Amino acid sequence: MSKKLKQMLAAYGLVLPSFLTVMLVVAWPILTAIKTSFTDPDTGGFTFDNYKYFFETPRELTNILFTLGIVFLTVALAIVLAYLLALYLRFVKSKVSRLIGNLYLLPRFVPSMVAVYAMITVIRDSGLLNRISQLFGGNFKPGMMYHASGLVTMNLWFNIPFAALMITAGLGAIPDSMIESARDVGASKLRVLRSMILPLSMKDVVIAATFVFMSNVGSFTTPYLMGGNYPKMLGIVLFDQFNKYLRYERAAAMSFIIFLICSVSAGVYIYTNLREKEWEK
């Protein structure tokens, strides 16, 4: 046996345990769920009925569209606000910016259950905002509980710090000398932002958007505690099919639908990383 072949076998031997672990804990459950999603619960035969149920039943189709609407709105608002925050933290040198830079990641360390309950005590119709308004003779009721606005607000609380962290890292890679040179030749701040900063940071913006998208498509805690009975986020639909209705085949179909939706975002992430500095051209 040649030395090269021995080295190759040794390399495969080192990789094999990790590969088998991934196949056991990731690939095998996914393949099993896909197989179950195409299984008729009565006959055990092959069927598309579990998928047809979600796309042909108006109630379930509304749940899918509602989830996508919430997710896209969350992504749009989170990325815009996170980008503005990242610009402030990167280019404004002040005590306030340094203080915000030290504190803006704190929400990431608060357990999601604790954060949601804390938000509920503030935005519910009998919560903190309502009590403050009563001190001034009012009776302000936000109406955000069991409503899309409450879900989006809570999603932003979780996702803005995360997106800002990724975008700030990208902005930090832009040399100050490049920006100062552009300013020295007469470029306005808006021109520098549009022609230099935004193109150079676009890759990080896209990557942050993909992560925010994937983290919200199948979210459960926030929709379970703050969402209404109808329409529902897909994480709650999956939970109901599995635990309430005991329709395991439909639950498997819904899990694969969520997987496919996230795969689109994952594809964008992979494509963005494979492009060789196209954002900088």
Side-chain angles (χ1 to χ4, degrees), residues 76-136:
L77 292 177
I79 294 301
V80 170
L81 295 175
Y83 196 85
L84 294 175
L85 176 59
L87 287 174
Y88 177 76
L89 295 176
R90 171 63 178 85
F91 296 109
V92 176
K93 309 298 183 182
S94 66
K95 292 182 179 179
V96 176
S97 65
R98 287 194 294 271
L99 178 63
I100 295 176
N102 292 326
L103 297 178
Y104 81 103
L105 285 178
L106 285 180
R108 299 296 303 176
F109 298 97
V110 179
S112 57
M113 187 74 72
V114 176
V116 172
Y117 271 117
M119 182 64 73
I120 288 175
T121 62
V122 175
I123 67 174
R124 64 183 179 185
D125 289 348
S126 59
L128 179 63
L129 295 178
N130 178 264
R131 295 181 182 182
I132 293 176
S133 69
Q134 291 180 8
L135 296 177
F136 299 95

Short mmCIF file of all heavy atoms in Angstrom, two decimals, residues 76-136:
data_model
loop_
_atom_site.label_atom_id
_atom_site.label_comp_id
_atom_site.label_asym_id
_atom_site.label_seq_id
_atom_site.Cartn_x
_atom_site.Cartn_y
_atom_site.Cartn_z
N ALA A 76 -37.32 43.19 6.67
CA ALA A 76 -37.14 44.53 6.13
C ALA A 76 -36.88 45.56 7.23
O ALA A 76 -35.92 46.35 7.15
CB ALA A 76 -38.38 44.93 5.31
N LEU A 77 -37.71 45.55 8.27
CA LEU A 77 -37.55 46.53 9.35
C LEU A 77 -36.28 46.27 10.14
O LEU A 77 -35.55 47.22 10.50
CB LEU A 77 -38.77 46.47 10.27
CG LEU A 77 -40.09 46.96 9.67
CD1 LEU A 77 -41.23 46.77 10.67
CD2 LEU A 77 -39.99 48.43 9.26
N ALA A 78 -35.99 45.00 10.42
CA ALA A 78 -34.79 44.68 11.21
C ALA A 78 -33.52 45.09 10.49
O ALA A 78 -32.60 45.66 11.10
CB ALA A 78 -34.77 43.18 11.53
N ILE A 79 -33.45 44.85 9.19
CA ILE A 79 -32.23 45.18 8.44
C ILE A 79 -32.06 46.69 8.32
O ILE A 79 -30.95 47.22 8.50
CB ILE A 79 -32.26 44.52 7.05
CG1 ILE A 79 -32.20 43.00 7.20
CG2 ILE A 79 -31.11 45.02 6.19
CD1 ILE A 79 -30.98 42.50 7.93
N VAL A 80 -33.14 47.40 8.06
CA VAL A 80 -33.04 48.87 7.95
C VAL A 80 -32.61 49.48 9.28
O VAL A 80 -31.66 50.29 9.34
CB VAL A 80 -34.38 49.47 7.48
CG1 VAL A 80 -34.35 51.00 7.61
CG2 VAL A 80 -34.66 49.07 6.05
N LEU A 81 -33.27 49.10 10.35
CA LEU A 81 -32.94 49.66 11.66
C LEU A 81 -31.55 49.21 12.12
O LEU A 81 -30.81 50.00 12.71
CB LEU A 81 -34.01 49.25 12.68
CG LEU A 81 -35.41 49.80 12.43
CD1 LEU A 81 -36.40 49.23 13.43
CD2 LEU A 81 -35.42 51.32 12.49
N ALA A 82 -31.21 47.96 11.85
CA ALA A 82 -29.89 47.46 12.24
C ALA A 82 -28.79 48.17 11.46
O ALA A 82 -27.72 48.46 12.00
CB ALA A 82 -29.82 45.95 12.01
N TYR A 83 -29.05 48.47 10.19
CA TYR A 83 -28.04 49.15 9.37
C TYR A 83 -27.82 50.57 9.88
O TYR A 83 -26.67 51.04 9.96
CB TYR A 83 -28.48 49.17 7.91
CG TYR A 83 -27.35 49.50 6.96
CD1 TYR A 83 -26.52 48.50 6.51
CD2 TYR A 83 -27.12 50.80 6.53
CE1 TYR A 83 -25.47 48.78 5.65
CE2 TYR A 83 -26.09 51.10 5.67
CZ TYR A 83 -25.26 50.08 5.22
OH TYR A 83 -24.21 50.38 4.39
N LEU A 84 -28.90 51.25 10.22
CA LEU A 84 -28.76 52.60 10.78
C LEU A 84 -28.00 52.58 12.10
O LEU A 84 -27.13 53.43 12.36
CB LEU A 84 -30.14 53.23 10.97
CG LEU A 84 -30.94 53.51 9.69
CD1 LEU A 84 -32.34 54.01 10.04
CD2 LEU A 84 -30.21 54.52 8.81
N LEU A 85 -28.31 51.58 12.94
CA LEU A 85 -27.60 51.44 14.21
C LEU A 85 -26.13 51.13 13.97
O LEU A 85 -25.25 51.69 14.63
CB LEU A 85 -28.25 50.33 15.04
CG LEU A 85 -27.57 49.98 16.38
CD1 LEU A 85 -27.51 51.21 17.29
CD2 LEU A 85 -28.28 48.82 17.06
N ALA A 86 -25.85 50.25 13.01
CA ALA A 86 -24.46 49.89 12.71
C ALA A 86 -23.68 51.09 12.18
O ALA A 86 -22.51 51.29 12.54
CB ALA A 86 -24.43 48.74 11.70
N LEU A 87 -24.31 51.89 11.33
CA LEU A 87 -23.64 53.10 10.84
C LEU A 87 -23.30 54.04 11.99
O LEU A 87 -22.20 54.62 12.03
CB LEU A 87 -24.55 53.81 9.83
CG LEU A 87 -24.70 53.18 8.45
CD1 LEU A 87 -25.73 53.93 7.64
CD2 LEU A 87 -23.36 53.16 7.71
N TYR A 88 -24.24 54.19 12.90
CA TYR A 88 -24.01 55.08 14.05
C TYR A 88 -22.86 54.55 14.91
O TYR A 88 -21.96 55.33 15.31
CB TYR A 88 -25.29 55.18 14.86
CG TYR A 88 -25.16 56.02 16.11
CD1 TYR A 88 -25.12 57.41 16.04
CD2 TYR A 88 -25.05 55.42 17.37
CE1 TYR A 88 -24.99 58.18 17.19
CE2 TYR A 88 -24.92 56.17 18.51
CZ TYR A 88 -24.89 57.56 18.41
OH TYR A 88 -24.75 58.32 19.55
N LEU A 89 -22.87 53.27 15.19
CA LEU A 89 -21.83 52.70 16.04
C LEU A 89 -20.46 52.74 15.37
O LEU A 89 -19.44 52.88 16.04
CB LEU A 89 -22.18 51.26 16.41
CG LEU A 89 -23.43 51.06 17.27
CD1 LEU A 89 -23.72 49.58 17.46
CD2 LEU A 89 -23.27 51.73 18.63
N ARG A 90 -20.44 52.61 14.04
CA ARG A 90 -19.16 52.55 13.32
C ARG A 90 -18.54 53.92 13.10
O ARG A 90 -17.31 54.09 13.22
CB ARG A 90 -19.39 51.85 11.97
CG ARG A 90 -18.20 51.91 11.00
CD ARG A 90 -17.00 51.19 11.54
NE ARG A 90 -15.91 51.22 10.57
CZ ARG A 90 -15.04 52.21 10.43
NH1 ARG A 90 -15.14 53.28 11.23
NH2 ARG A 90 -14.08 52.15 9.53
N PHE A 91 -19.36 54.93 12.79
CA PHE A 91 -18.78 56.19 12.34
C PHE A 91 -18.96 57.36 13.31
O PHE A 91 -18.37 58.41 13.10
CB PHE A 91 -19.38 56.57 10.98
CG PHE A 91 -19.04 55.59 9.90
CD1 PHE A 91 -20.02 54.75 9.38
CD2 PHE A 91 -17.76 55.48 9.41
CE1 PHE A 91 -19.72 53.84 8.38
CE2 PHE A 91 -17.44 54.56 8.42
CZ PHE A 91 -18.43 53.74 7.89
N VAL A 92 -19.77 57.17 14.34
CA VAL A 92 -19.94 58.25 15.32
C VAL A 92 -19.09 57.92 16.54
O VAL A 92 -19.27 56.88 17.17
CB VAL A 92 -21.43 58.41 15.72
CG1 VAL A 92 -21.55 59.47 16.82
CG2 VAL A 92 -22.26 58.79 14.50
N LYS A 93 -18.18 58.79 16.85
CA LYS A 93 -17.28 58.59 17.99
C LYS A 93 -17.73 59.50 19.13
O LYS A 93 -17.44 60.69 19.15
CB LYS A 93 -15.83 58.92 17.60
CG LYS A 93 -15.36 58.24 16.33
CD LYS A 93 -15.37 56.72 16.44
CE LYS A 93 -14.82 56.07 15.18
NZ LYS A 93 -14.86 54.60 15.23
N SER A 94 -18.47 58.94 20.06
CA SER A 94 -18.95 59.72 21.20
C SER A 94 -19.19 58.79 22.37
O SER A 94 -19.19 57.55 22.22
CB SER A 94 -20.25 60.46 20.84
OG SER A 94 -21.31 59.53 20.61
N LYS A 95 -19.40 59.36 23.54
CA LYS A 95 -19.66 58.55 24.72
C LYS A 95 -20.98 57.78 24.57
O LYS A 95 -21.09 56.65 25.03
CB LYS A 95 -19.72 59.45 25.96
CG LYS A 95 -18.37 60.06 26.33
CD LYS A 95 -18.49 60.89 27.60
CE LYS A 95 -17.14 61.48 27.99
NZ LYS A 95 -17.24 62.31 29.23
N VAL A 96 -21.96 58.43 23.93
CA VAL A 96 -23.26 57.77 23.75
C VAL A 96 -23.12 56.56 22.84
O VAL A 96 -23.67 55.49 23.12
CB VAL A 96 -24.29 58.76 23.18
CG1 VAL A 96 -25.61 58.05 22.89
CG2 VAL A 96 -24.51 59.93 24.14
N SER A 97 -22.39 56.70 21.74
CA SER A 97 -22.22 55.57 20.82
C SER A 97 -21.45 54.44 21.47
O SER A 97 -21.75 53.26 21.26
CB SER A 97 -21.50 56.04 19.55
OG SER A 97 -20.18 56.45 19.83
N ARG A 98 -20.46 54.78 22.29
CA ARG A 98 -19.72 53.73 22.99
C ARG A 98 -20.60 53.02 24.01
O ARG A 98 -20.51 51.80 24.19
CB ARG A 98 -18.49 54.33 23.67
CG ARG A 98 -17.38 54.72 22.70
CD ARG A 98 -16.07 54.98 23.44
NE ARG A 98 -16.19 56.15 24.31
CZ ARG A 98 -15.92 57.40 23.93
NH1 ARG A 98 -15.52 57.63 22.68
NH2 ARG A 98 -16.03 58.41 24.78
N LEU A 99 -21.47 53.79 24.68
CA LEU A 99 -22.39 53.18 25.64
C LEU A 99 -23.37 52.25 24.94
O LEU A 99 -23.60 51.12 25.39
CB LEU A 99 -23.15 54.28 26.40
CG LEU A 99 -24.19 53.79 27.42
CD1 LEU A 99 -23.51 52.99 28.52
CD2 LEU A 99 -24.95 54.97 27.99
N ILE A 100 -23.93 52.71 23.83
CA ILE A 100 -24.85 51.87 23.06
C ILE A 100 -24.13 50.65 22.53
O ILE A 100 -24.68 49.53 22.53
CB ILE A 100 -25.48 52.67 21.91
CG1 ILE A 100 -26.37 53.80 22.46
CG2 ILE A 100 -26.31 51.76 21.01
CD1 ILE A 100 -26.94 54.70 21.40
N GLY A 101 -22.88 50.83 22.10
CA GLY A 101 -22.10 49.71 21.61
C GLY A 101 -21.86 48.64 22.66
O GLY A 101 -21.72 47.46 22.33
N ASN A 102 -21.82 49.05 23.92
CA ASN A 102 -21.63 48.09 25.00
C ASN A 102 -22.93 47.44 25.46
O ASN A 102 -22.90 46.39 26.11
CB ASN A 102 -20.97 48.78 26.20
CG ASN A 102 -19.54 49.20 25.92
OD1 ASN A 102 -18.82 48.53 25.19
ND2 ASN A 102 -19.13 50.32 26.50
N LEU A 103 -24.06 48.05 25.13
CA LEU A 103 -25.33 47.57 25.67
C LEU A 103 -26.27 46.94 24.64
O LEU A 103 -27.16 46.18 25.03
CB LEU A 103 -26.09 48.74 26.33
CG LEU A 103 -25.42 49.39 27.55
CD1 LEU A 103 -26.27 50.56 28.04
CD2 LEU A 103 -25.22 48.38 28.67
N TYR A 104 -26.07 47.22 23.34
CA TYR A 104 -27.09 46.82 22.37
C TYR A 104 -27.19 45.30 22.17
O TYR A 104 -28.19 44.81 21.65
CB TYR A 104 -26.86 47.52 21.03
CG TYR A 104 -25.80 46.88 20.15
CD1 TYR A 104 -26.15 46.10 19.05
CD2 TYR A 104 -24.44 47.08 20.38
CE1 TYR A 104 -25.20 45.54 18.23
CE2 TYR A 104 -23.48 46.53 19.56
CZ TYR A 104 -23.86 45.76 18.50
OH TYR A 104 -22.90 45.20 17.68
N LEU A 105 -26.20 44.56 22.62
CA LEU A 105 -26.27 43.10 22.49
C LEU A 105 -26.92 42.42 23.69
O LEU A 105 -27.11 41.21 23.67
CB LEU A 105 -24.86 42.53 22.29
CG LEU A 105 -24.25 42.74 20.90
CD1 LEU A 105 -22.84 42.16 20.86
CD2 LEU A 105 -25.11 42.11 19.82
N LEU A 106 -27.26 43.18 24.72
CA LEU A 106 -27.86 42.57 25.90
C LEU A 106 -29.12 41.76 25.61
O LEU A 106 -29.33 40.70 26.22
CB LEU A 106 -28.17 43.65 26.95
CG LEU A 106 -26.96 44.22 27.72
CD1 LEU A 106 -27.42 45.27 28.70
CD2 LEU A 106 -26.22 43.09 28.45
N PRO A 107 -30.01 42.21 24.69
CA PRO A 107 -31.20 41.39 24.41
C PRO A 107 -30.87 39.98 23.94
O PRO A 107 -31.68 39.07 24.13
CB PRO A 107 -31.91 42.19 23.30
CG PRO A 107 -31.50 43.60 23.54
CD PRO A 107 -30.08 43.52 24.02
N ARG A 108 -29.70 39.78 23.34
CA ARG A 108 -29.33 38.45 22.87
C ARG A 108 -29.06 37.49 24.02
O ARG A 108 -29.09 36.27 23.85
CB ARG A 108 -28.09 38.52 21.98
CG ARG A 108 -28.26 39.36 20.74
CD ARG A 108 -29.28 38.80 19.80
NE ARG A 108 -29.00 37.44 19.40
CZ ARG A 108 -29.79 36.68 18.65
NH1 ARG A 108 -30.96 37.17 18.25
NH2 ARG A 108 -29.46 35.46 18.30
N PHE A 109 -28.81 38.03 25.22
CA PHE A 109 -28.49 37.19 26.37
C PHE A 109 -29.69 36.99 27.29
O PHE A 109 -29.57 36.34 28.32
CB PHE A 109 -27.32 37.80 27.15
CG PHE A 109 -26.05 37.89 26.36
CD1 PHE A 109 -25.69 39.06 25.72
CD2 PHE A 109 -25.22 36.79 26.24
CE1 PHE A 109 -24.52 39.14 24.98
CE2 PHE A 109 -24.05 36.86 25.50
CZ PHE A 109 -23.70 38.04 24.87
N VAL A 110 -30.82 37.56 26.92
CA VAL A 110 -32.04 37.39 27.71
C VAL A 110 -32.81 36.20 27.15
O VAL A 110 -33.09 36.15 25.95
CB VAL A 110 -32.91 38.66 27.67
CG1 VAL A 110 -34.19 38.45 28.47
CG2 VAL A 110 -32.14 39.85 28.20
N PRO A 111 -33.17 35.21 27.97
CA PRO A 111 -33.94 34.06 27.46
C PRO A 111 -35.22 34.52 26.77
O PRO A 111 -35.88 35.47 27.23
CB PRO A 111 -34.25 33.26 28.74
CG PRO A 111 -33.15 33.64 29.69
CD PRO A 111 -32.84 35.07 29.40
N SER A 112 -35.55 33.87 25.68
CA SER A 112 -36.68 34.30 24.87
C SER A 112 -37.99 34.30 25.66
O SER A 112 -38.81 35.21 25.51
CB SER A 112 -36.83 33.40 23.64
OG SER A 112 -36.98 32.04 24.02
N MET A 113 -38.19 33.31 26.52
CA MET A 113 -39.41 33.26 27.31
C MET A 113 -39.51 34.46 28.24
O MET A 113 -40.58 35.08 28.36
CB MET A 113 -39.45 31.96 28.13
CG MET A 113 -40.75 31.71 28.85
SD MET A 113 -42.07 31.21 27.75
CE MET A 113 -41.54 29.54 27.35
N VAL A 114 -38.41 34.81 28.87
CA VAL A 114 -38.39 35.96 29.78
C VAL A 114 -38.66 37.24 29.00
O VAL A 114 -39.43 38.11 29.44
CB VAL A 114 -37.04 36.04 30.51
CG1 VAL A 114 -36.96 37.30 31.37
CG2 VAL A 114 -36.82 34.81 31.36
N ALA A 115 -38.03 37.38 27.83
CA ALA A 115 -38.19 38.59 27.03
C ALA A 115 -39.63 38.76 26.57
O ALA A 115 -40.18 39.87 26.61
CB ALA A 115 -37.25 38.55 25.84
N VAL A 116 -40.25 37.68 26.12
CA VAL A 116 -41.63 37.77 25.63
C VAL A 116 -42.58 38.15 26.76
O VAL A 116 -43.44 39.03 26.59
CB VAL A 116 -42.06 36.44 24.99
CG1 VAL A 116 -43.55 36.48 24.64
CG2 VAL A 116 -41.24 36.17 23.73
N TYR A 117 -42.43 37.53 27.92
CA TYR A 117 -43.30 37.87 29.04
C TYR A 117 -43.08 39.31 29.49
O TYR A 117 -44.03 40.01 29.87
CB TYR A 117 -43.07 36.91 30.21
CG TYR A 117 -43.93 35.68 30.16
CD1 TYR A 117 -43.38 34.42 30.03
CD2 TYR A 117 -45.32 35.79 30.24
CE1 TYR A 117 -44.18 33.29 29.96
CE2 TYR A 117 -46.12 34.66 30.19
CZ TYR A 117 -45.54 33.41 30.05
OH TYR A 117 -46.35 32.30 29.99
N ALA A 118 -41.84 39.78 29.44
CA ALA A 118 -41.57 41.17 29.79
C ALA A 118 -42.26 42.12 28.81
O ALA A 118 -42.84 43.14 29.23
CB ALA A 118 -40.07 41.42 29.81
N MET A 119 -42.20 41.79 27.53
CA MET A 119 -42.86 42.63 26.53
C MET A 119 -44.37 42.61 26.70
O MET A 119 -45.04 43.64 26.52
CB MET A 119 -42.47 42.15 25.13
CG MET A 119 -43.06 42.97 24.00
SD MET A 119 -42.46 44.69 23.97
CE MET A 119 -40.78 44.43 23.38
N ILE A 120 -44.92 41.44 27.05
CA ILE A 120 -46.35 41.34 27.25
C ILE A 120 -46.82 42.28 28.35
O ILE A 120 -47.87 42.92 28.24
CB ILE A 120 -46.75 39.88 27.57
CG1 ILE A 120 -46.61 39.01 26.32
CG2 ILE A 120 -48.18 39.80 28.10
CD1 ILE A 120 -46.86 37.54 26.55
N THR A 121 -46.06 42.36 29.44
CA THR A 121 -46.46 43.25 30.55
C THR A 121 -46.46 44.71 30.15
O THR A 121 -47.07 45.54 30.83
CB THR A 121 -45.53 43.06 31.76
OG1 THR A 121 -44.19 43.42 31.39
CG2 THR A 121 -45.55 41.62 32.24
N VAL A 122 -45.78 45.03 29.06
CA VAL A 122 -45.71 46.42 28.60
C VAL A 122 -46.80 46.73 27.58
O VAL A 122 -47.48 47.76 27.67
CB VAL A 122 -44.32 46.73 28.00
CG1 VAL A 122 -44.29 48.14 27.41
CG2 VAL A 122 -43.24 46.59 29.06
N ILE A 123 -47.00 45.85 26.59
CA ILE A 123 -47.84 46.21 25.44
C ILE A 123 -49.27 45.70 25.54
O ILE A 123 -50.11 46.12 24.74
CB ILE A 123 -47.22 45.68 24.13
CG1 ILE A 123 -47.24 44.14 24.11
CG2 ILE A 123 -45.82 46.21 23.94
CD1 ILE A 123 -46.79 43.55 22.80
N ARG A 124 -49.59 44.84 26.49
CA ARG A 124 -50.98 44.39 26.57
C ARG A 124 -51.87 45.56 26.98
O ARG A 124 -51.42 46.55 27.55
CB ARG A 124 -51.12 43.23 27.53
CG ARG A 124 -50.79 43.55 28.97
CD ARG A 124 -50.87 42.31 29.84
NE ARG A 124 -50.54 42.60 31.23
CZ ARG A 124 -50.44 41.67 32.17
NH1 ARG A 124 -50.68 40.40 31.87
NH2 ARG A 124 -50.14 42.01 33.42
N ASP A 125 -53.16 45.41 26.71
CA ASP A 125 -54.09 46.53 26.92
C ASP A 125 -54.17 46.98 28.37
O ASP A 125 -54.56 48.11 28.65
CB ASP A 125 -55.48 46.14 26.42
CG ASP A 125 -55.52 46.06 24.90
OD1 ASP A 125 -54.56 46.53 24.26
OD2 ASP A 125 -56.51 45.53 24.35
N SER A 126 -53.82 46.10 29.31
CA SER A 126 -53.81 46.49 30.73
C SER A 126 -52.38 46.56 31.27
O SER A 126 -52.17 46.48 32.48
CB SER A 126 -54.62 45.47 31.56
OG SER A 126 -54.07 44.16 31.41
N GLY A 127 -51.42 46.73 30.37
CA GLY A 127 -50.02 46.72 30.76
C GLY A 127 -49.48 48.08 31.15
O GLY A 127 -50.23 49.02 31.47
N LEU A 128 -48.17 48.19 31.10
CA LEU A 128 -47.48 49.39 31.57
C LEU A 128 -47.89 50.64 30.81
O LEU A 128 -48.14 51.70 31.40
CB LEU A 128 -45.96 49.19 31.47
CG LEU A 128 -45.09 50.37 31.89
CD1 LEU A 128 -45.29 50.69 33.37
CD2 LEU A 128 -43.62 50.07 31.61
N LEU A 129 -47.97 50.55 29.49
CA LEU A 129 -48.33 51.72 28.68
C LEU A 129 -49.73 52.21 29.05
O LEU A 129 -49.98 53.43 29.13
CB LEU A 129 -48.26 51.38 27.19
CG LEU A 129 -46.86 51.06 26.65
CD1 LEU A 129 -46.95 50.70 25.17
CD2 LEU A 129 -45.92 52.23 26.85
N ASN A 130 -50.64 51.28 29.25
CA ASN A 130 -52.00 51.66 29.63
C ASN A 130 -52.04 52.34 31.00
O ASN A 130 -52.74 53.33 31.21
CB ASN A 130 -52.89 50.43 29.61
CG ASN A 130 -54.32 50.72 30.03
OD1 ASN A 130 -54.69 50.54 31.19
ND2 ASN A 130 -55.13 51.18 29.09
N ARG A 131 -51.25 51.81 31.93
CA ARG A 131 -51.24 52.38 33.29
C ARG A 131 -50.62 53.77 33.31
O ARG A 131 -51.06 54.65 34.04
CB ARG A 131 -50.49 51.44 34.23
CG ARG A 131 -51.19 50.10 34.42
CD ARG A 131 -50.45 49.20 35.37
NE ARG A 131 -51.11 47.90 35.50
CZ ARG A 131 -50.70 46.93 36.30
NH1 ARG A 131 -49.61 47.10 37.04
NH2 ARG A 131 -51.35 45.78 36.35
N ILE A 132 -49.59 53.98 32.49
CA ILE A 132 -49.00 55.31 32.41
C ILE A 132 -50.00 56.29 31.82
O ILE A 132 -50.12 57.44 32.31
CB ILE A 132 -47.71 55.27 31.55
CG1 ILE A 132 -46.62 54.47 32.27
CG2 ILE A 132 -47.22 56.69 31.25
CD1 ILE A 132 -45.37 54.29 31.46
N SER A 133 -50.73 55.88 30.80
CA SER A 133 -51.72 56.78 30.20
C SER A 133 -52.83 57.12 31.19
O SER A 133 -53.37 58.25 31.17
CB SER A 133 -52.32 56.12 28.95
OG SER A 133 -53.14 55.01 29.28
N GLN A 134 -53.18 56.19 32.09
CA GLN A 134 -54.22 56.46 33.08
C GLN A 134 -53.79 57.53 34.08
O GLN A 134 -54.63 58.24 34.62
CB GLN A 134 -54.60 55.17 33.80
CG GLN A 134 -55.34 54.17 32.93
CD GLN A 134 -55.70 52.91 33.68
OE1 GLN A 134 -55.54 52.82 34.90
NE2 GLN A 134 -56.19 51.89 32.95
N LEU A 135 -52.49 57.66 34.30
CA LEU A 135 -52.00 58.71 35.19
C LEU A 135 -52.29 60.10 34.64
O LEU A 135 -52.38 61.06 35.41
CB LEU A 135 -50.48 58.55 35.41
CG LEU A 135 -50.03 57.27 36.13
CD1 LEU A 135 -48.51 57.21 36.20
CD2 LEU A 135 -50.63 57.21 37.54
N PHE A 136 -52.44 60.19 33.33
CA PHE A 136 -52.72 61.48 32.68
C PHE A 136 -54.16 61.56 32.19
O PHE A 136 -54.49 62.37 31.32
CB PHE A 136 -51.75 61.68 31.50
CG PHE A 136 -50.31 61.71 31.92
CD1 PHE A 136 -49.54 60.55 31.87
CD2 PHE A 136 -49.72 62.88 32.39
CE1 PHE A 136 -48.21 60.57 32.26
CE2 PHE A 136 -48.39 62.90 32.77
CZ PHE A 136 -47.63 61.75 32.71
#
